[in-house]
Amino acid sequence: MSPHLFWLSDEAWAAIEPHLPRGKAGKPRVDDRTVISGILHVLKTGCRWRDVPAAYGPPTTIYNRFNRWSQRRIWQRLFEKVAASGPVPKELSIDSSHVKAHRSAAGSKRGNMKKRLGARAAEGRARSIAWPTIAADRSPSP
């Protein structure tokens, strides 16, 4: 196991394992602990599903398990059961979200934009965004 990857601790696995679905007929599943660790790695780091490290297993398996369990509400039931099984910790994160901005959202050099001097601005007519809106309202409708 690589030290820089996320792995469920023995304590966390002991709390989760009794609540996982069992007894589904068909092909034997990939180890639940490894797949859940892979899912949590993707959710923690924000990487794409296909970029999950190979130590967690095939990316398709990890994504499919997450997706199918989400549709069957297994994650919700698992959270409810684990949350109800012990005391509330001192530190708790209800929601941690982030916003991805487009690479051009940081701004630009603004090109050859000339700045108006204070004297010129004082001489000029006051501009308002409301005037074009008011004028558009007064135009005859077709």
Side-chain angles (χ1 to χ4, degrees), residues 28-83:
R29 291 195 317 202
V30 178
D31 178 39
D32 283 333
R33 186 173 184 172
T34 305
V35 173
I36 292 173
S37 294
I39 291 169
L40 294 175
H41 173 81
V42 170
L43 297 176
K44 274 182 75 168
T45 63
C47 71
R48 298 179 297 182
W49 292 104
R50 65 179 175 214
D51 292 338
V52 70
Y56 294 124
T60 307
T61 301
I62 294 169
Y63 171 74
N64 286 341
R65 183 85 50 95
F66 175 77
N67 195 24
R68 288 177 185 149
W69 284 10
S70 295
Q71 291 171 354
R72 292 171 47 196
R73 299 187 49 83
I74 291 174
W75 294 115
Q76 182 67 30
R77 287 193 304 264
L78 179 66
F79 175 75
E80 289 168 357
K81 289 177 182 176
V82 170

Side-chain angles (χ1 to χ4, degrees), residues 2-15:
S2 180
H4 68 280
L5 298 178
F6 176 80
W7 296 102
L8 282 172
S9 66
D10 292 335
E11 182 182 336
W13 179 246

Side-chain angles (χ1 to χ4, degrees), residues 77-95:
R77 287 193 304 264
L78 179 66
F79 175 75
E80 289 168 357
K81 289 177 182 176
V82 170
S85 67
V88 176
K90 290 181 183 178
E91 294 180 20
L92 186 65
S93 174
I94 300 295
D95 181 12

